[in-house]
Amino acid sequence: MIVDLRSDTVTRPTPEMRRAMSEAEVGDDIYREDPTARALEERAASLLGKEASLFVPSGTMANQIALMLHCRPGDDVVIPEDAHVRLYESGGASAWAGVQFTEAGSAGRFDVTALDAALHPPDYHCPRTRLVWLENTHNRAGGRVVPQAEVVALAERARALGLLLHLDGARIWNASVATGLSPETLARPFDTVSACFSKGLGAPVGSILAGSKASMTEALRIRKRLGGGMRQVGVLCAAALHALDDYQARLSLDHENASTLAAALSRVDGLACDPARAETNIVIFESSRVAPAELCARAKRDGVLVSPFGGTAVRAVTHLDVDRAGVLRAAEVLAAAASH
């Protein structure tokens, strides 16, 4: 049996999810006539505490629409170090929104002082700082949760400066479980928030962008421009609704499995892993004796899939298709792969 820990996007729909998809009531969503899509958008907007939301094929599209909503070409966006929107969206920010980024802080977080340092002066020679962007949980920082007090302080400062705010909440469901705070509370300080149904929740495809009714009306136009309009999309939205109903609460199991894996790897010679960094479902560890690519190749031969993550780092992500037994097996295989 393969233990696939490359990402929480590799899950396959359960029989119950497939049944929900096959029984979905559908209509042509270009005409805004798909009842299941409307039900999901209403549900997601309520969960995130926003007036409205829009279903989109991917988190990348949700983020790109947010940039195009809030910014004009030439604007500057303050982002955390190693943000997904800069590293993993194929340069879409420059291609579609025409914006540039200024990184602030480190390890996925920045405070008010770092925000102030990242601002450009109000001089026509300089780009206009327009948007403050956070990522919660933060992928490159190992699924790190941004403390809500820090978020609120940043939002208050941003508002005082006349700036807008967006939350890349692809894994906001994990942040909610880890903190005990509702998605609505986590999203409250932001003008818009994106959230993913295929990361952690197990849906095969789809994300949501939520905000004001006016912003989602404009987002609908931008989605069409980007090619994101779909027809009988209720088949996909039914999977997302099922994920929200049945899988959101069980994310704590993924977090427990990540902690188990991190603790096991921390005891392996040749690997360095800090269990305290495994705050949610992502485990980042360092391989000092064996190059990450070679370590991953060795593990793959024994049925465990993990990903090189730059330098000496390797990433493993727990999800609903891997149970505790799978995690323990992965730890054994990785320990063997780390030895000479």
Side-chain angles (χ1 to χ4, degrees):
M1 182 185 73
I2 300 295
V3 179
D4 193 343
L5 295 170
R6 291 173 298 169
S7 175
D8 49 1
T9 61
V10 300
T11 56
R12 292 174 172 80
T14 62
E16 294 79 14
M17 181 178 283
R18 290 178 184 272
R19 188 176 307 115
M21 295 170 71
S22 68
E23 295 175 356
E25 186 180 359
V26 300
D28 191 324
D29 194 49
I30 297 300
Y31 290 109
R32 307 300 282 161
E33 293 176 354
D34 191 299
T36 308
R38 297 295 78 70
L40 174 63
E41 289 172 348
E42 291 173 8
R43 174 83 181 282
S46 177
L47 282 171
L48 296 168
K50 303 302 180 187
E51 290 182 340
S53 74
L54 183 68
F55 182 76
V56 294
S58 69
T60 292
M61 182 176 286
N63 283 343
Q64 295 304 312
I65 291 174
L67 287 171
M68 296 169 74
L69 275 174
H70 297 312
C71 301
R72 296 294 178 267
D75 284 351
D76 188 76
V77 181
V78 181
I79 60 172
E81 181 184 41
D82 290 339
H84 188 282
V85 69
R86 182 180 73 84
L87 294 177
Y88 299 124
E89 299 186 12
S90 198
S94 58
W96 296 111
V99 301
Q100 65 181 42
F101 295 123
T102 296
E103 289 189 327
S106 63
R109 291 168 55 181
F110 60 94
D111 58 15
V112 171
T113 300
L115 171 61
D116 286 344
L119 299 175
H120 294 283
D123 185 296
Y124 75 90
H125 295 92
C126 303
R128 179 183 64 171
T129 303
R130 178 65 174 167
L131 180 65
V132 175
W133 187 286
L134 291 181
E135 185 178 322
N136 197 15
T137 66
H138 192 287
N139 175 34
R140 288 288 306 184
R144 191 175 195 180
V145 178
V146 183
Q148 192 64 8
E150 192 172 287
V151 173
V152 171
L154 276 171
E156 289 176 352
R157 178 58 177 158
R159 298 291 182 207
L161 293 167
L163 304 177
L164 298 166
L165 296 111
H166 174 75
L167 174 63
D168 179 352
R171 294 185 175 92
I172 192 172
W173 322 113
N174 295 91
S176 176
V177 168
T179 61
L181 300 175
S182 68
E184 177 181 1
T185 298
L186 296 174
R188 187 176 299 145
F190 300 89
D191 296 286
T192 52
V193 54
S194 58
C196 191
F197 301 118
S198 62
K199 289 178 178 174
L201 293 185
V205 65
S207 287
I208 206 80
L209 179 67
S212 68
K213 289 182 180 178
S215 66
M216 291 305 101
T217 297
E218 181 60 20
L220 179 63
R221 178 184 297 275
I222 298 172
R223 186 185 74 173
K224 179 66 176 179
R225 186 182 304 152
L226 297 178
M230 295 175 283
R231 301 295 179 174
Q232 287 72 31
V233 73
V235 174
L236 301 177
C237 292
L241 281 167
H242 181 82
L244 288 172
D245 288 337
D246 285 23
Y247 304 145
Q248 191 176 174
R250 61 150 304 283
L251 288 172
S252 59
L253 297 177
D254 295 342
H255 297 184
E256 291 171 10
N257 285 335
S259 294
T260 297
L261 178 62
L265 295 180
S266 71
R267 298 188 291 269
V268 176
D269 289 340
L271 300 181
C273 184
D274 180 2
R277 288 188 60 193
E279 297 180 14
T280 53
N281 68 323
I282 299 176
V283 178
I284 306 294
F285 59 97
E286 305 289 328
S287 177
S288 59
R289 293 179 180 172
V290 180
E294 175 61 21
L295 180 85
C296 293
R298 292 180 183 181
K300 183 177 181 180
R301 288 194 289 269
D302 286 329
V304 172
L305 306 182
V306 290
S307 302
F309 212 51
T312 60
V314 180
R315 187 184 79 156
V317 187
T318 55
H319 50 78
L320 62 89
D321 280 2
V322 177
D323 58 14
R324 180 179 172 82
V327 163
L328 293 175
R329 177 167 173 258
E332 292 177 359
V333 168
L334 289 167
S339 64
H340 285 293

